[in-house]
Amino acid sequence: MTNRLAHSNSPYLLQHKDNPVDWYPWGAEALTRAMTEDKPIFLSIGYAACHWCHVMEHESFEDPAVAAYMNEHFVNIKVDREERPDIDGIYMGAVVAMTGSGGWPMSVFLTPEGEPFLGGTYFPPVARHNLPSFMDALRHVQRIWSEECDKVIENGRIITQHLQPSSSTTAEGQMPTPDALSQAVMALAQAYDWRHGGWGQAPKFPQPMTIDFLLARATQGDQLALDMARHALQSMALGGMYDVVGGGFARYSVDNYWRVPHFEKMLYDNALLARTYLHGYLVTRDEDMRQVCERTLDFVARELRDADGGFYSSLDADSEGEEGKFYVWSSREIEAEIQDGESRALLIAAYGVSEAGNFEGHNVLQRVKSDAELAEQFGLDVATVRAQLDSAHSTLLAARGPRIRPGTDDKVLTAWNGLMLIAYAEAARYLKRSDYLQIAQANADFLLRELHDGSRLLRSWRAGQAAHNAYLEDYAALTLGLLALYQSDGDVRWYAAAEKLAAEFTQHFADPAGGFFDTRDDHEALIARPKDQQDNATPSGNSLAALALLQLHAYSGNSAWYETASRMLAGMQATAARYPTAFAQWLHASSWPLAGGREIAILGEDADALTETLWSTWRPFDVAAIAAASPAPAGSPALLNERPLKDGKASAYVCRNFACQLPVNTAGELASQLAAS
């Protein structure tokens, strides 16, 4: 017997369709019933790859006695946080305000008007670790609703007032200064783990936006920033959280050493990390970083790509009811699969494989010896060591294939796809990978075809069906993705689409006090209109929007977009400098007005030598407009206007604030101008 979630399109909601709980999706039907019957709402929020969401489902939501109590006393609502980040953000703020921390599964009790009055995260089936049992929590809420309803309602109103969006981006402030960015670097250095890499204690998260900010600083000569970024990237690449066999990154490390991951693989983590490793390679020319970037993108193409061109959201942490079972190895499996004795011995030494293992009797593969150390130990050259380890990895990947796979959340989210589109588009041009360019083009085609209905962008797609209004992060991430792709293939339709999206979000998401709300002006009315400005696991919609407007100004000269972004950056400068890991995308955006970025226009056929010169180095604050002919086709950036070809040949213009140097025809001349200006 299924419940109302059987009609949903979300993989997370569908996971709960057979629960005996009378679940509702979020919507008018559930809210109206709560009002009519004067019942409190139990709101449960999670996502498909969430391990503890699965645990709480099995322990509580599948229990007929628990479900019967829930159905009698509550209106029960399930929300996929990835489809509805607005609901998730509002009520996560409430849980953090009430308890001091948050996470998923999120469990919140609401008045019929949707105002939160009590909440938490995971509740066990029996009281333990200072947590009440889920049934105890349900009984407590039912009692206070029956006996102290007026007090509960007043508490909900107080919490709801606390949830109204702040106006950080409207505060008076100065434009970003070099001192503020240097202060942020020093704060990061003081908090950095110089032994194991990264910031913070277990669970340790990878912080790709922070590392990318540091790499951009490194291009301007900041050695401390470079040292931190290189060390962090090298530390994570050793394995554990990074899947050395199949590529790609897990969500975070449960220890301080990057050794044992929380095994779920999220699209957004891999988008941000692939791009950061690409930038790390371009700054350091460390081939290991290039390999991590390519293997991560290859993993996404192999395991998270829909046939129509979209990218799926995640892979579960669990398979066969065990977290990580798909990814770990026993020493006997290693011995059985790798037939060549020397290769087997190399791999065992490289990763310290043992019978006892390093994770619940199994081995999570993390390097304990470098290629150079292995070469000395086995009397081989480094190239041979690398080749044999690569072959062993391929063997293990093939051996892993027949295992029962973790579940795939096969919905396509616009914002996360926009982030991955940036990664593929940049890797295509910097690494000269035509296959990556084709993947990026197919993804952009898919998003514009399936997730934009002509008047608005949508958030989510699955199995041919698009749903839910897009949020600011969807608009801004896709805008940046299209601009990245435009720079890779010069197709003007990507630029035109990016300008259209920016026009839509500046019109429909604007906060009159400054910056943007997360939801569109005709979005469903909730207890608050969210305006999240902190960069979390993904960049905030506002920091992405600021960066998108800065880039579009460089192409178009639209001063209104620059002024909007400038006001946003001024309002966030002090906060970002003080809390850099929480506002790293803001720091990167703040670097743009200070970096003296350039606009490069390249026009004409046979411009390969010019574009190869342009993309030979990462210049994080420059933008490029490319057209195969002069004049450029309709819809091209204003940057390409009135740029005649020099001597009838492919020509490049290097400009700053639309004031250009004389055009050049050769790669050498362009390289000289780029180096000097």
Side-chain angles (χ1 to χ4, degrees), residues 73-154:
H73 296 290
F74 299 89
V75 174
N76 304 291
I77 299 178
K78 262 287 176 194
V79 167
D80 182 336
R81 67 171 295 262
E82 296 169 353
E83 284 191 337
R84 293 300 302 266
D86 53 339
I87 296 171
D88 178 64
I90 289 170
Y91 292 109
M92 180 62 76
V95 169
V96 172
M98 288 185 278
T99 69
S101 62
W104 299 277
M106 181 162 42
S107 306
V108 199
F109 295 93
L110 319 177
T111 69
E113 290 78 17
E115 296 182 333
F117 61 87
L118 189 146
T121 54
Y122 163 78
F123 287 97
V126 295
R128 59 174 180 251
H129 305 308
N130 296 318
L131 289 173
S133 74
F134 184 52
M135 276 301 301
D136 287 344
L138 293 172
R139 292 189 184 103
H140 171 71
V141 172
Q142 195 278 328
R143 182 188 64 77
I144 62 174
W145 184 257
S146 299
E147 300 174 5
E148 306 172 49
C149 188
D150 290 345
K151 186 184 295 185
V152 169
I153 290 172
E154 179 60 22

Side-chain angles (χ1 to χ4, degrees), residues 274-427:
R275 185 173 181 236
T276 300
Y277 272 91
L278 171 65
H279 296 165
Y281 162 69
L282 294 170
V283 171
T284 66
R285 295 297 163 176
D286 182 334
E287 286 292 331
D288 287 337
M289 294 187 192
R290 174 176 179 150
Q291 184 180 76
V292 171
C293 169
E294 290 185 307
R295 288 186 174 176
T296 298
L297 294 177
D298 292 345
F299 148 71
V300 172
R302 184 179 67 243
E303 299 189 34
L304 287 177
R305 185 169 180 246
D306 186 85
D308 288 335
F311 299 116
Y312 297 147
S313 294
S314 63
L315 293 180
D316 207 331
D318 302 1
S319 56
E320 301 181 74
E322 295 182 26
E323 185 177 6
K325 185 172 183 178
F326 183 76
Y327 298 101
V328 298
W329 301 90
S330 69
S331 59
R332 292 183 180 181
E333 287 173 321
I334 297 289
E335 292 170 0
E337 297 297 342
I338 302 178
Q339 300 298 314
D340 179 74
E342 185 173 74
S343 295
R344 183 170 62 248
L346 270 173
L347 186 126
I348 289 171
Y351 295 105
V353 173
S354 68
E355 186 172 347
N358 57 13
F359 172 69
E360 299 179 356
H362 291 81
N363 293 274
V364 174
L365 299 184
Q366 184 188 48
R367 277 295 193 105
V368 297
K369 290 187 177 181
S370 68
D371 290 345
E373 290 170 326
L374 292 168
E376 181 177 358
Q377 177 180 343
F378 287 88
L380 302 170
D381 59 72
V382 169
T384 300
V385 168
R386 291 178 69 94
Q388 291 200 28
L389 286 177
D390 284 346
S391 176
H393 293 153
S394 297
T395 298
L396 293 181
L397 181 61
R400 196 171 76 182
R403 293 179 177 179
I404 296 175
R405 295 180 53 78
T408 301
D409 184 334
D410 60 350
K411 69 177 180 294
V412 174
L413 296 175
T414 301
W416 300 4
N417 273 246
L419 297 175
M420 188 57 78
L421 176 57
I422 299 171
Y424 274 105
E426 288 195 8

Side-chain angles (χ1 to χ4, degrees), residues 131 257 495:
L131 289 173
Y257 323 113
Y495 178 79

Side-chain angles (χ1 to χ4, degrees), residues 635-656:
S636 294
L639 176 60
L640 292 175
N641 292 349
E642 299 179 6
R643 305 284 184 221
L645 301 182
K646 178 186 176 184
D647 300 328
K649 300 177 182 177
S651 303
Y653 291 78
V654 177
C655 316
R656 183 171 279 116

Side-chain angles (χ1 to χ4, degrees), residues 336-622:
E337 297 297 342
I338 302 178
Q339 300 298 314
D340 179 74
E342 185 173 74
S343 295
R344 183 170 62 248
L346 270 173
L347 186 126
I348 289 171
Y351 295 105
V353 173
S354 68
E355 186 172 347
N358 57 13
F359 172 69
E360 299 179 356
H362 291 81
N363 293 274
V364 174
L365 299 184
Q366 184 188 48
R367 277 295 193 105
V368 297
K369 290 187 177 181
S370 68
D371 290 345
E373 290 170 326
L374 292 168
E376 181 177 358
Q377 177 180 343
F378 287 88
L380 302 170
D381 59 72
V382 169
T384 300
V385 168
R386 291 178 69 94
Q388 291 200 28
L389 286 177
D390 284 346
S391 176
H393 293 153
S394 297
T395 298
L396 293 181
L397 181 61
R400 196 171 76 182
R403 293 179 177 179
I404 296 175
R405 295 180 53 78
T408 301
D409 184 334
D410 60 350
K411 69 177 180 294
V412 174
L413 296 175
T414 301
W416 300 4
N417 273 246
L419 297 175
M420 188 57 78
L421 176 57
I422 299 171
Y424 274 105
E426 288 195 8
R429 64 174 179 263
Y430 285 116
L431 304 182
K432 300 179 177 61
R433 289 285 300 262
S434 60
D435 55 335
Y436 289 170
L437 182 60
Q438 292 168 4
I439 290 172
Q441 290 166 332
N443 181 245
D445 268 329
F446 171 85
L447 295 172
L448 294 176
R449 181 181 70 249
E450 299 293 337
L451 283 146
H452 198 289
D453 67 4
S455 63
R456 69 174 61 231
L457 193 63
L458 298 173
R459 168 72 172 179
S460 177
W461 178 98
R462 180 176 177 271
Q465 180 179 343
H468 304 294
N469 291 334
Y471 300 91
L472 178 63
E473 65 172 355
D474 297 300
Y475 274 91
L478 182 52
T479 299
L480 288 167
L482 292 168
L483 292 177
L485 181 54
Y486 170 64
Q487 294 182 88
S488 295
D489 71 0
D491 189 333
V492 69
R493 62 181 168 143
W494 311 130
Y495 178 79
E499 271 204 333
K500 179 181 178 182
L501 290 174
E504 289 177 21
F505 77 70
T506 53
Q507 177 182 355
H508 293 291
F509 291 78
D511 179 353
F516 301 96
F517 291 109
D518 293 339
T519 55
R520 191 175 161 120
D521 50 15
D522 58 359
H523 192 75
E524 171 191 1
L526 301 171
I527 61 170
R529 190 176 180 190
K531 186 181 180 182
D532 187 10
Q533 297 172 105
Q534 181 173 323
D535 299 317
N536 294 297
T538 56
S540 70
N542 269 281
S543 62
L544 288 171
L547 182 58
L549 293 178
L550 290 171
Q551 289 192 16
L552 282 165
H553 166 260
Y555 282 110
S556 67
N558 185 331
S559 59
W561 286 348
Y562 182 82
E563 291 165 6
T564 297
S566 296
R567 288 195 299 271
M568 296 168 70
L569 297 177
M572 295 300 295
Q573 176 188 236
T575 303
R578 187 174 180 183
Y579 306 106
T581 56
F583 296 91
Q585 186 70 25
W586 282 107
L587 289 171
H588 182 70
S590 296
S591 303
W592 271 72
L594 298 171
R598 296 162 299 192
E599 311 94 35
I600 297 104
I602 296 178
L603 302 95
E605 298 179 353
D606 301 323
D608 290 351
L610 296 175
T611 56
E612 285 186 16
T613 299
L614 176 62
W615 303 127
S616 63
T617 302
W618 184 46
R619 300 177 178 88
F621 306 109
D622 294 348

